[in-house]
Amino acid sequence: VLSLCCEACKKVIFHVPSELEAETLVGRVDLKECLQSAEFISSSDGNFKILEDGSVYTTSAVSLSAEKKTFTILLKDTQEQVEKKIHVSLVEEEMKKTRHARDTVLKRTKRRWGPIPSVMIENSLGPFPLQIQQVQSDTAQNYTIYYSASGPGIDQDPKGLFYIERETGNIFATRAVDREQYPSFQIICFATTPDGYSPEVPLVHTIRIEDDNDNAPYFTQDLFEFSVPENSKPGVIVGKVTAEDRDEPYTLHTTLKYRIVSQNPPVTPAFSLHSDTGAIAVLLPQLDRELVPSYTLLVEVRDMAGQPFGLCTTGTAVIRIEDMNDNAPCFRQMQYETRVEENRVNVEILRVSVVDLDEPGSSGSAAVYEIIKGNDDRSFEITTDKNTNEGILCVVKGLDYESAKQRILVIAVNNEAPYVLAPHSQQLSQSTSSVTVHVLDVDEGPVFKPCLLRIDVKECEDIGTTIGRYVAEDPETGNSEGIRYRIAPSQCNWINIDEKSGEVRTVKVLDRDVADMRRGQCNITVLAVDRNGKTGTGTIQVFIVPGNKNYPRITKTEYIMCRDRKPICLTAQDGDESPYSTPFVYRITDRSLASMWKITRHNDNSVYLSPKGDIPFGTYDIPISVIDNGGKVGENRIKVNLCDCVTPTECDGGRSRELSGGNVTLGVWAILAMILGSLLLLLILITICGCCGSGVMHRHVTDDCANHNLIISNTEAPGEEVMDHNIIPLQNTCDQGGYGIKTGDQQTFEMTKGRGHTLESVKGGGHQTLGSVKEGGGQTMMDTCRYSYSEWHNFTHPRLGEKVHLCRQDEEQKHSEDYLLSYNYEGKGSLAGSVGCCSDQHEEEALDFLDQLEPKFRTLAETCVKR
């Protein structure tokens, strides 16, 4: 195949057969000549691929249907932002031999273009250049082939280590190689014709450097340190030494063996070393720290599986024997004697020592002393001096010569760590020693009994109150004669003691809250002096019991209560402690305000304050007394602004009215509301009485009636039919013995035996209803609906009397309610109007006054207006 390069970097022509198989080398283009740093190489035709060295291969079978086929190679440098294009043209050409005279038929033979990897001995001595391999192309039988190579060792670091002969394909090494630095090389070999055509795919050839045992093994640490408890059993692993070798792994050059070269001290070997793993184990059955505290081992590691010709290195391992408490402490002396004066306290009287073979300073040798006999009253105490490990015997309570002139103690010793029985140790037996203490007699001073006296005093006790008596006695005589008492200087100046009798009195009012009192406690040192000037001391602890000295008071005294009348929470505080504080008792001291307000318990120190009923708006100054658990009364005044508001922020001080001391100032509308309420209550009572009378009132409600009376209208269901000879049958509305009222489509009648009278008939008029005019003879007119008490009395009294008379004449003694007839439906045509005052709207303007009523009546009045 001829290749013609015309106008490099612009156009390349390859002469190829008409049929190309897949993975066939078409030719090679010099890419670096076009672009030195091409980061991106691509082909415009997917049937061709371009390698980094410029080789062009087919990706699939290609047939040149036309005489010429073209595609483009695109080169890009993204950093420099440079693009180059190379136009490739494929021209069909007949196969012919131009370089050989003979025309023979080629036969397929074994390919020599893929030899096995080459091997070069590490640290080879030459001679150099040293041939290590030869590559050849089978196409060399037909064409002239030139060989070249690139890669590490050739044109990459380490450069110049290898080269290939251009005509023969022999690969040579120029110098020795260290395998630990370069274990192998991969080079790319090329076979090309003089015109640049590559009949062979570039060959990746591996040159492996064969290892030479040129590195001795080495330990990973300069010094190995281990520890093992004494008396450990044989086979216990102490530690492991490790070594490494830089030669090729998994070869004899890195197969290591360990051994112990020597042991110091040179006694019976105490440890063994595993040759393969380097693990050190206990060999001696009895490791005694008291004999040998540590061992130093010289160990060796050798490659080549430990063969004598292998390379070796030595290291050091130090094994420290850990102490175990296998030696019990023992007293140096079995008996001790000492002396001490009586009444001496906290004085050292003797030091004892022990012998312990265990490691000093460890828990196995630290001595723990105890008195096991002769110290029932705990007058003695023994401790350990950490520095010397000695036992220090002290007197902590004064000894009395008169009681005992001599004390004999038995002291025992142990270690902090538990005892461990070893093969070489003796059976455990606790070491003890006896101590004889001689008590020396001295002239003693007075002694207080008890030495600490506690006195409880109530707080705020009167000055000069005797709160107790504190006396001392002479231990020689056993009495208190001739002893004088006084309080040591710089003491609490609230208490005094009588010089002769020892009575303790108060000189000031005791207060547990002052600075001298710590949590209500005051300690006083009392001195007792006898005739000889000997002094004894005692202590009085004065505990001040809390008293009831503070008044309970309410923390917040001003409140605003809106129309929802939500209860107010009152909370009191008292500076005293229990039992003189909570629970508190609250009372309203003003009777008039107590009838309007009530107090409800919340908890021990809080209550709820709320109005009892619908009291007027205004400001109330309520006196409240708070009584604590000790009976102390604190007076408080609570100011409550009862305001017509939704939230307290709507109220201000200018609109409130002061209501204090039980003298309540009511506004005009409040007085009117009370009058209307009273009239309404009276009207209900009269209506009930009218139902029980024999007379019948037929009242016509006018528009003016709504201005003064708020009537509640109810609809009642028919009652049971009453059959009685005292009840007159139903008659017409115009009959004198009854009256009828029509409401909508329903008519009701009430019939009685007596005569039918109304209020106006009593006054001298004809048969008229309550709403009729007092004059005019039966013509209905609108009245003011207001009558005096005498008029109502004259109307109701005869009716009630007649009812009572009829009850007396009744044979069965039935009550008056039996004469009330049930309501019956009578049909249409009644002359009576509606009984509801709010349903008659002749003058709506007459209800304007409802807009000016108090808030509680305003809601009620709105229901009487027909919207």
Side-chain angles (χ1 to χ4, degrees), residues 268-423:
T268 304
F271 303 95
S272 63
L273 178 62
H274 195 283
S275 60
D276 294 329
T277 62
I280 301 175
V282 176
L283 182 63
L284 190 66
Q286 295 181 1
L287 292 177
D288 190 357
R289 190 207 65 83
E290 287 73 33
L291 295 178
V292 182
S294 66
Y295 293 85
T296 301
L297 302 181
L298 181 65
V299 295
E300 177 192 85
V301 59
R302 185 182 296 270
D303 60 13
M304 300 300 292
Q307 298 182 33
F309 54 83
L311 303 180
C312 66
T313 303
T314 59
T316 303
V318 177
I319 303 173
R320 187 175 61 87
I321 308 301
E322 295 180 352
D323 182 54
M324 300 293 291
N325 188 21
D326 55 350
N327 295 281
C330 181
F331 282 102
R332 294 183 184 274
Q333 295 180 224
M334 303 307 295
Q335 292 183 351
Y336 293 90
E337 284 192 16
T338 185
R339 290 174 175 80
V340 63
E341 294 179 350
E342 64 173 335
N343 300 322
R344 294 289 302 274
V345 180
N346 296 327
V347 293
E348 177 184 330
I349 61 174
L350 182 66
R351 280 180 174 253
V352 296
S353 60
V354 295
V355 176
D356 196 323
L357 299 178
D358 291 319
E359 184 177 5
S362 65
S363 59
S365 64
V368 179
Y369 301 90
E370 62 175 334
I371 303 173
I372 61 176
K373 188 177 181 181
N375 191 32
D376 297 336
D377 57 352
R378 298 189 180 276
S379 298
F380 300 92
E381 184 180 83
I382 188 167
T383 57
T384 303
D385 188 337
K386 298 297 183 182
N387 296 323
T388 62
N389 208 29
E390 293 178 325
I392 304 173
L393 183 63
C394 300
V395 177
V396 294
K397 289 183 181 180
L399 302 178
D400 189 5
Y401 175 82
E402 289 72 23
S403 299
K405 298 179 178 58
Q406 180 179 289
R407 299 285 296 271
I408 299 177
L409 307 177
V410 177
I411 302 174
V413 64
N414 292 300
N415 292 126
E416 292 181 358
Y419 181 74
V420 177
L421 185 61

Side-chain angles (χ1 to χ4, degrees), residues 672-715:
L672 180 59
M674 295 177 66
I675 294 174
L676 290 176
S678 300
L679 291 177
L680 180 61
L681 180 59
L682 181 60
L683 180 60
I684 294 173
L685 292 175
I686 293 173
T687 304
I688 294 174
C689 294
C691 293
C692 300
S694 59
V696 182
M697 294 189 299
H698 181 194
R699 182 175 177 189
H700 221 45
V701 182
T702 64
D703 286 341
D704 186 58
C705 183
N707 296 331
H708 307 282
N709 298 282
L710 300 177
I711 301 174
I712 300 176
S713 177
N714 296 318
T715 300

Side-chain angles (χ1 to χ4, degrees), residues 648-832:
T649 56
E650 298 178 8
C651 292
D652 52 38
R655 297 181 57 187
S656 63
R657 294 179 290 277
E658 190 73 20
L659 304 174
S660 62
N663 299 324
V664 181
T665 303
L666 301 178
V668 177
W669 288 109
I671 297 174
L672 180 59
M674 295 177 66
I675 294 174
L676 290 176
S678 300
L679 291 177
L680 180 61
L681 180 59
L682 181 60
L683 180 60
I684 294 173
L685 292 175
I686 293 173
T687 304
I688 294 174
C689 294
C691 293
C692 300
S694 59
V696 182
M697 294 189 299
H698 181 194
R699 182 175 177 189
H700 221 45
V701 182
T702 64
D703 286 341
D704 186 58
C705 183
N707 296 331
H708 307 282
N709 298 282
L710 300 177
I711 301 174
I712 300 176
S713 177
N714 296 318
T715 300
E716 300 185 56
E720 297 179 359
E721 184 177 359
V722 180
M723 302 302 295
D724 194 275
H725 64 278
N726 293 324
I727 299 177
I728 302 174
L730 295 175
Q731 300 177 6
N732 293 331
T733 308
C734 300
D735 292 344
Q736 193 175 1
Y739 72 91
I741 298 176
K742 177 182 179 183
T743 304
D745 294 336
Q746 183 178 357
Q747 296 179 354
T748 61
F749 290 88
E750 179 175 347
M751 310 303 298
T752 64
K753 286 183 178 182
R755 299 169 56 193
H757 298 280
T758 64
L759 177 60
E760 300 303 334
S761 65
V762 176
K763 297 172 64 176
H767 182 70
Q768 299 173 335
T769 62
L770 181 62
S772 302
V773 186
K774 298 177 182 179
E775 63 217 4
Q779 184 178 359
T780 305
M781 296 179 62
M782 296 303 170
D783 194 5
T784 61
C785 294
R786 295 178 181 175
Y787 302 98
S788 65
Y789 172 74
S790 59
E791 292 173 341
W792 285 107
H793 178 74
N794 294 335
F795 173 74
T796 58
H797 187 69
R799 310 286 83 74
L800 295 175
E802 185 177 355
K803 285 292 183 181
V804 175
H805 177 70
L806 292 175
C807 288
R808 291 176 180 175
Q809 294 179 354
D810 191 0
E811 296 177 357
E812 300 179 1
Q813 299 295 326
K814 294 183 178 179
H815 300 290
S816 60
E817 61 263 24
D818 294 338
Y819 295 95
L820 298 178
L821 299 183
S822 60
Y823 289 86
N824 298 298
Y825 180 78
E826 200 174 53
K828 300 181 179 179
S830 174
L831 299 177

Side-chain angles (χ1 to χ4, degrees), residues 126 248 451 589 725:
E248 186 175 359
C451 61
T589 57
H725 64 278

Side-chain angles (χ1 to χ4, degrees), residues 427-613:
Q427 293 293 327
L428 178 63
S429 59
Q430 190 178 38
S431 178
T432 60
S433 178
S434 64
V435 179
T436 302
V437 181
H438 300 281
V439 183
L440 304 179
D441 185 22
V442 295
D443 186 9
E444 301 174 271
V447 178
F448 283 97
K449 292 184 179 180
C451 61
L452 178 64
L453 177 65
R454 170 172 174 156
I455 300 177
D456 293 334
V457 186
K458 290 185 179 179
E459 193 174 14
C460 302
E461 197 72 71
D462 295 335
I463 298 175
T465 303
T466 300
I467 60 176
R469 188 167 180 264
Y470 196 32
V471 295
E473 62 181 27
D474 192 339
E476 307 294 338
T477 61
N479 55 52
S480 301
E481 294 181 2
I483 298 178
R484 297 292 183 265
Y485 305 95
R486 62 186 176 89
I487 295 177
S490 302
Q491 297 289 313
C492 179
N493 58 358
W494 300 75
I495 304 297
N496 193 11
I497 188 169
D498 187 87
E499 183 181 8
K500 295 181 180 181
S501 64
E503 290 185 350
V504 182
R505 300 184 180 91
T506 61
V507 294
K508 290 184 180 180
V509 178
L510 300 182
D511 189 355
R512 62 184 284 110
D513 297 329
V514 297
D516 293 344
M517 298 293 178
R518 296 182 178 178
R519 298 182 180 178
Q521 175 183 341
C522 180
N523 295 335
I524 303 170
T525 301
V526 181
L527 303 178
V529 184
D530 60 10
R531 294 186 182 94
N532 299 326
K534 295 290 184 179
T535 304
T537 60
T539 303
I540 299 177
Q541 284 186 343
V542 180
F543 286 87
I544 301 178
V545 179
N548 194 11
K549 66 177 182 178
N550 296 301
Y551 294 92
R553 63 181 183 86
I554 298 176
T555 56
K556 184 178 178 182
T557 58
E558 294 187 3
Y559 297 90
I560 296 177
M561 179 180 289
C562 288
R563 66 178 64 165
D564 57 357
R565 301 174 186 265
K566 184 177 180 180
I568 298 170
C569 184
L570 303 179
T571 302
Q573 290 183 349
D574 194 329
D576 297 322
E577 296 182 2
S578 179
Y580 300 108
S581 55
T582 57
F584 298 133
V585 178
Y586 293 76
R587 289 194 180 95
I588 300 176
T589 57
D590 189 279
R591 291 186 177 180
S592 60
L593 289 176
S595 63
M596 303 172 65
W597 297 83
K598 64 178 179 179
I599 290 177
T600 307
R601 176 182 172 84
H602 177 215
N603 52 32
D604 285 347
N605 62 339
S606 300
V607 295
Y608 289 116
L609 177 65
S610 59
K612 287 186 177 181

